[in-house]
mmCIF file with all atom_site columns, all heavy atoms in Angstrom:
data_model
loop_
_atom_site.group_PDB
_atom_site.id
_atom_site.type_symbol
_atom_site.label_atom_id
_atom_site.label_alt_id
_atom_site.label_comp_id
_atom_site.label_asym_id
_atom_site.label_entity_id
_atom_site.label_seq_id
_atom_site.pdbx_PDB_ins_code
_atom_site.Cartn_x
_atom_site.Cartn_y
_atom_site.Cartn_z
_atom_site.occupancy
_atom_site.B_iso_or_equiv
_atom_site.pdbx_formal_charge
_atom_site.auth_seq_id
_atom_site.auth_comp_id
_atom_site.auth_asym_id
_atom_site.auth_atom_id
_atom_site.pdbx_PDB_model_num
ATOM 1   N N   . THR A 1 144 ? -83.003 -118.579 -45.641 1.00 95.00 ? 144 THR A N   1
ATOM 2   C CA  . THR A 1 144 ? -83.054 -117.214 -45.139 1.00 95.00 ? 144 THR A CA  1
ATOM 3   C C   . THR A 1 144 ? -82.795 -117.189 -43.646 1.00 95.00 ? 144 THR A C   1
ATOM 4   O O   . THR A 1 144 ? -82.959 -118.228 -42.958 1.00 95.00 ? 144 THR A O   1
ATOM 5   C CB  . THR A 1 144 ? -84.396 -116.535 -45.429 1.00 95.00 ? 144 THR A CB  1
ATOM 6   O OG1 . THR A 1 144 ? -85.409 -117.178 -44.605 1.00 95.00 ? 144 THR A OG1 1
ATOM 7   C CG2 . THR A 1 144 ? -84.779 -116.647 -46.912 1.00 95.00 ? 144 THR A CG2 1
ATOM 8   N N   . ALA A 1 145 ? -82.399 -116.045 -43.103 1.00 95.00 ? 145 ALA A N   1
ATOM 9   C CA  . ALA A 1 145 ? -82.083 -115.932 -41.701 1.00 95.00 ? 145 ALA A CA  1
ATOM 10  C C   . ALA A 1 145 ? -83.333 -116.241 -40.864 1.00 95.00 ? 145 ALA A C   1
ATOM 11  O O   . ALA A 1 145 ? -83.252 -116.952 -39.842 1.00 95.00 ? 145 ALA A O   1
ATOM 12  C CB  . ALA A 1 145 ? -81.574 -114.541 -41.387 1.00 95.00 ? 145 ALA A CB  1
ATOM 13  N N   . GLU A 1 146 ? -84.480 -115.763 -41.291 1.00 96.00 ? 146 GLU A N   1
ATOM 14  C CA  . GLU A 1 146 ? -85.731 -116.058 -40.551 1.00 96.00 ? 146 GLU A CA  1
ATOM 15  C C   . GLU A 1 146 ? -86.019 -117.504 -40.504 1.00 96.00 ? 146 GLU A C   1
ATOM 16  O O   . GLU A 1 146 ? -86.420 -118.086 -39.466 1.00 96.00 ? 146 GLU A O   1
ATOM 17  C CB  . GLU A 1 146 ? -86.874 -115.263 -41.217 1.00 96.00 ? 146 GLU A CB  1
ATOM 18  C CG  . GLU A 1 146 ? -88.204 -115.476 -40.488 1.00 96.00 ? 146 GLU A CG  1
ATOM 19  C CD  . GLU A 1 146 ? -89.363 -114.710 -41.188 1.00 96.00 ? 146 GLU A CD  1
ATOM 20  O OE1 . GLU A 1 146 ? -89.155 -114.211 -42.299 1.00 96.00 ? 146 GLU A OE1 1
ATOM 21  O OE2 . GLU A 1 146 ? -90.412 -114.653 -40.616 1.00 96.00 ? 146 GLU A OE2 1
ATOM 22  N N   . GLN A 1 147 ? -85.888 -118.193 -41.655 1.00 97.00 ? 147 GLN A N   1
ATOM 23  C CA  . GLN A 1 147 ? -86.175 -119.644 -41.681 1.00 97.00 ? 147 GLN A CA  1
ATOM 24  C C   . GLN A 1 147 ? -85.252 -120.442 -40.770 1.00 97.00 ? 147 GLN A C   1
ATOM 25  O O   . GLN A 1 147 ? -85.612 -121.359 -40.062 1.00 97.00 ? 147 GLN A O   1
ATOM 26  C CB  . GLN A 1 147 ? -85.995 -120.169 -43.130 1.00 97.00 ? 147 GLN A CB  1
ATOM 27  C CG  . GLN A 1 147 ? -87.109 -119.720 -44.112 1.00 97.00 ? 147 GLN A CG  1
ATOM 28  C CD  . GLN A 1 147 ? -86.771 -120.127 -45.551 1.00 97.00 ? 147 GLN A CD  1
ATOM 29  O OE1 . GLN A 1 147 ? -85.620 -120.286 -45.893 1.00 97.00 ? 147 GLN A OE1 1
ATOM 30  N NE2 . GLN A 1 147 ? -87.796 -120.288 -46.348 1.00 97.00 ? 147 GLN A NE2 1
ATOM 31  N N   . VAL A 1 148 ? -83.939 -120.081 -40.795 1.00 98.00 ? 148 VAL A N   1
ATOM 32  C CA  . VAL A 1 148 ? -82.977 -120.787 -40.029 1.00 98.00 ? 148 VAL A CA  1
ATOM 33  C C   . VAL A 1 148 ? -83.193 -120.554 -38.522 1.00 98.00 ? 148 VAL A C   1
ATOM 34  O O   . VAL A 1 148 ? -83.049 -121.485 -37.690 1.00 98.00 ? 148 VAL A O   1
ATOM 35  C CB  . VAL A 1 148 ? -81.553 -120.439 -40.484 1.00 98.00 ? 148 VAL A CB  1
ATOM 36  C CG1 . VAL A 1 148 ? -80.509 -121.100 -39.579 1.00 98.00 ? 148 VAL A CG1 1
ATOM 37  C CG2 . VAL A 1 148 ? -81.330 -120.877 -41.941 1.00 98.00 ? 148 VAL A CG2 1
ATOM 38  N N   . GLU A 1 149 ? -83.502 -119.332 -38.166 1.00 97.00 ? 149 GLU A N   1
ATOM 39  C CA  . GLU A 1 149 ? -83.807 -119.024 -36.730 1.00 97.00 ? 149 GLU A CA  1
ATOM 40  C C   . GLU A 1 149 ? -85.012 -119.842 -36.254 1.00 97.00 ? 149 GLU A C   1
ATOM 41  O O   . GLU A 1 149 ? -85.022 -120.327 -35.142 1.00 97.00 ? 149 GLU A O   1
ATOM 42  C CB  . GLU A 1 149 ? -84.030 -117.524 -36.547 1.00 97.00 ? 149 GLU A CB  1
ATOM 43  C CG  . GLU A 1 149 ? -82.764 -116.682 -36.651 1.00 97.00 ? 149 GLU A CG  1
ATOM 44  C CD  . GLU A 1 149 ? -81.774 -116.869 -35.532 1.00 97.00 ? 149 GLU A CD  1
ATOM 45  O OE1 . GLU A 1 149 ? -82.085 -117.622 -34.533 1.00 97.00 ? 149 GLU A OE1 1
ATOM 46  O OE2 . GLU A 1 149 ? -80.687 -116.308 -35.567 1.00 97.00 ? 149 GLU A OE2 1
ATOM 47  N N   . GLN A 1 150 ? -86.025 -119.943 -37.131 1.00 98.00 ? 150 GLN A N   1
ATOM 48  C CA  . GLN A 1 150 ? -87.216 -120.736 -36.773 1.00 98.00 ? 150 GLN A CA  1
ATOM 49  C C   . GLN A 1 150 ? -86.842 -122.238 -36.593 1.00 98.00 ? 150 GLN A C   1
ATOM 50  O O   . GLN A 1 150 ? -87.351 -122.865 -35.671 1.00 98.00 ? 150 GLN A O   1
ATOM 51  C CB  . GLN A 1 150 ? -88.271 -120.585 -37.826 1.00 98.00 ? 150 GLN A CB  1
ATOM 52  C CG  . GLN A 1 150 ? -88.938 -119.201 -37.860 1.00 98.00 ? 150 GLN A CG  1
ATOM 53  C CD  . GLN A 1 150 ? -89.863 -119.001 -39.055 1.00 98.00 ? 150 GLN A CD  1
ATOM 54  O OE1 . GLN A 1 150 ? -89.929 -119.833 -39.985 1.00 98.00 ? 150 GLN A OE1 1
ATOM 55  N NE2 . GLN A 1 150 ? -90.597 -117.928 -39.076 1.00 98.00 ? 150 GLN A NE2 1
ATOM 56  N N   . ALA A 1 151 ? -85.980 -122.714 -37.450 1.00 98.00 ? 151 ALA A N   1
ATOM 57  C CA  . ALA A 1 151 ? -85.494 -124.113 -37.304 1.00 98.00 ? 151 ALA A CA  1
ATOM 58  C C   . ALA A 1 151 ? -84.735 -124.290 -36.003 1.00 98.00 ? 151 ALA A C   1
ATOM 59  O O   . ALA A 1 151 ? -84.947 -125.319 -35.335 1.00 98.00 ? 151 ALA A O   1
ATOM 60  C CB  . ALA A 1 151 ? -84.627 -124.485 -38.547 1.00 98.00 ? 151 ALA A CB  1
ATOM 61  N N   . TRP A 1 152 ? -83.973 -123.328 -35.645 1.00 98.00 ? 152 TRP A N   1
ATOM 62  C CA  . TRP A 1 152 ? -83.188 -123.423 -34.407 1.00 98.00 ? 152 TRP A CA  1
ATOM 63  C C   . TRP A 1 152 ? -84.131 -123.431 -33.217 1.00 98.00 ? 152 TRP A C   1
ATOM 64  O O   . TRP A 1 152 ? -83.896 -124.152 -32.216 1.00 98.00 ? 152 TRP A O   1
ATOM 65  C CB  . TRP A 1 152 ? -82.196 -122.283 -34.342 1.00 98.00 ? 152 TRP A CB  1
ATOM 66  C CG  . TRP A 1 152 ? -81.155 -122.509 -33.234 1.00 98.00 ? 152 TRP A CG  1
ATOM 67  C CD1 . TRP A 1 152 ? -81.095 -121.935 -32.014 1.00 98.00 ? 152 TRP A CD1 1
ATOM 68  C CD2 . TRP A 1 152 ? -80.040 -123.356 -33.309 1.00 98.00 ? 152 TRP A CD2 1
ATOM 69  N NE1 . TRP A 1 152 ? -80.022 -122.376 -31.275 1.00 98.00 ? 152 TRP A NE1 1
ATOM 70  C CE2 . TRP A 1 152 ? -79.320 -123.213 -32.058 1.00 98.00 ? 152 TRP A CE2 1
ATOM 71  C CE3 . TRP A 1 152 ? -79.471 -124.209 -34.297 1.00 98.00 ? 152 TRP A CE3 1
ATOM 72  C CZ2 . TRP A 1 152 ? -78.159 -123.951 -31.828 1.00 98.00 ? 152 TRP A CZ2 1
ATOM 73  C CZ3 . TRP A 1 152 ? -78.332 -124.908 -34.053 1.00 98.00 ? 152 TRP A CZ3 1
ATOM 74  C CH2 . TRP A 1 152 ? -77.700 -124.772 -32.843 1.00 98.00 ? 152 TRP A CH2 1
ATOM 75  N N   . ASP A 1 153 ? -85.225 -122.661 -33.318 1.00 98.00 ? 153 ASP A N   1
ATOM 76  C CA  . ASP A 1 153 ? -86.227 -122.662 -32.209 1.00 98.00 ? 153 ASP A CA  1
ATOM 77  C C   . ASP A 1 153 ? -86.836 -124.040 -32.084 1.00 98.00 ? 153 ASP A C   1
ATOM 78  O O   . ASP A 1 153 ? -87.155 -124.505 -30.975 1.00 98.00 ? 153 ASP A O   1
ATOM 79  C CB  . ASP A 1 153 ? -87.279 -121.626 -32.520 1.00 98.00 ? 153 ASP A CB  1
ATOM 80  C CG  . ASP A 1 153 ? -86.792 -120.174 -32.341 1.00 98.00 ? 153 ASP A CG  1
ATOM 81  O OD1 . ASP A 1 153 ? -85.772 -120.005 -31.676 1.00 98.00 ? 153 ASP A OD1 1
ATOM 82  O OD2 . ASP A 1 153 ? -87.467 -119.264 -32.842 1.00 98.00 ? 153 ASP A OD2 1
ATOM 83  N N   . VAL A 1 154 ? -87.069 -124.710 -33.186 1.00 98.00 ? 154 VAL A N   1
ATOM 84  C CA  . VAL A 1 154 ? -87.620 -126.086 -33.165 1.00 98.00 ? 154 VAL A CA  1
ATOM 85  C C   . VAL A 1 154 ? -86.660 -126.999 -32.403 1.00 98.00 ? 154 VAL A C   1
ATOM 86  O O   . VAL A 1 154 ? -87.041 -127.784 -31.533 1.00 98.00 ? 154 VAL A O   1
ATOM 87  C CB  . VAL A 1 154 ? -87.833 -126.598 -34.575 1.00 98.00 ? 154 VAL A CB  1
ATOM 88  C CG1 . VAL A 1 154 ? -88.175 -128.110 -34.549 1.00 98.00 ? 154 VAL A CG1 1
ATOM 89  C CG2 . VAL A 1 154 ? -88.996 -125.869 -35.281 1.00 98.00 ? 154 VAL A CG2 1
ATOM 90  N N   . LEU A 1 155 ? -85.366 -126.887 -32.708 1.00 98.00 ? 155 LEU A N   1
ATOM 91  C CA  . LEU A 1 155 ? -84.370 -127.716 -32.040 1.00 98.00 ? 155 LEU A CA  1
ATOM 92  C C   . LEU A 1 155 ? -84.282 -127.389 -30.534 1.00 98.00 ? 155 LEU A C   1
ATOM 93  O O   . LEU A 1 155 ? -84.128 -128.273 -29.729 1.00 98.00 ? 155 LEU A O   1
ATOM 94  C CB  . LEU A 1 155 ? -82.997 -127.547 -32.709 1.00 98.00 ? 155 LEU A CB  1
ATOM 95  C CG  . LEU A 1 155 ? -82.904 -127.883 -34.212 1.00 98.00 ? 155 LEU A CG  1
ATOM 96  C CD1 . LEU A 1 155 ? -81.475 -127.665 -34.704 1.00 98.00 ? 155 LEU A CD1 1
ATOM 97  C CD2 . LEU A 1 155 ? -83.405 -129.285 -34.497 1.00 98.00 ? 155 LEU A CD2 1
ATOM 98  N N   . ALA A 1 156 ? -84.393 -126.097 -30.264 1.00 98.00 ? 156 ALA A N   1
ATOM 99  C CA  . ALA A 1 156 ? -84.385 -125.708 -28.842 1.00 98.00 ? 156 ALA A CA  1
ATOM 100 C C   . ALA A 1 156 ? -85.584 -126.206 -28.088 1.00 98.00 ? 156 ALA A C   1
ATOM 101 O O   . ALA A 1 156 ? -85.459 -126.683 -26.925 1.00 98.00 ? 156 ALA A O   1
ATOM 102 C CB  . ALA A 1 156 ? -84.319 -124.144 -28.765 1.00 98.00 ? 156 ALA A CB  1
ATOM 103 N N   . ASP A 1 157 ? -86.773 -126.140 -28.710 1.00 98.00 ? 157 ASP A N   1
ATOM 104 C CA  . ASP A 1 157 ? -87.971 -126.654 -28.081 1.00 98.00 ? 157 ASP A CA  1
ATOM 105 C C   . ASP A 1 157 ? -87.871 -128.181 -27.793 1.00 98.00 ? 157 ASP A C   1
ATOM 106 O O   . ASP A 1 157 ? -88.484 -128.665 -26.846 1.00 98.00 ? 157 ASP A O   1
ATOM 107 C CB  . ASP A 1 157 ? -89.197 -126.380 -28.951 1.00 98.00 ? 157 ASP A CB  1
ATOM 108 C CG  . ASP A 1 157 ? -89.540 -124.908 -28.995 1.00 98.00 ? 157 ASP A CG  1
ATOM 109 O OD1 . ASP A 1 157 ? -89.072 -124.164 -28.121 1.00 98.00 ? 157 ASP A OD1 1
ATOM 110 O OD2 . ASP A 1 157 ? -90.246 -124.487 -29.918 1.00 98.00 ? 157 ASP A OD2 1
#
Side-chain angles (χ1 to χ4, degrees):
T144 68
E146 181 181 10
Q147 290 172 333
V148 176
E149 289 289 356
Q150 289 172 352
W152 193 258
D153 288 342
V154 169
L155 301 181
D157 290 343

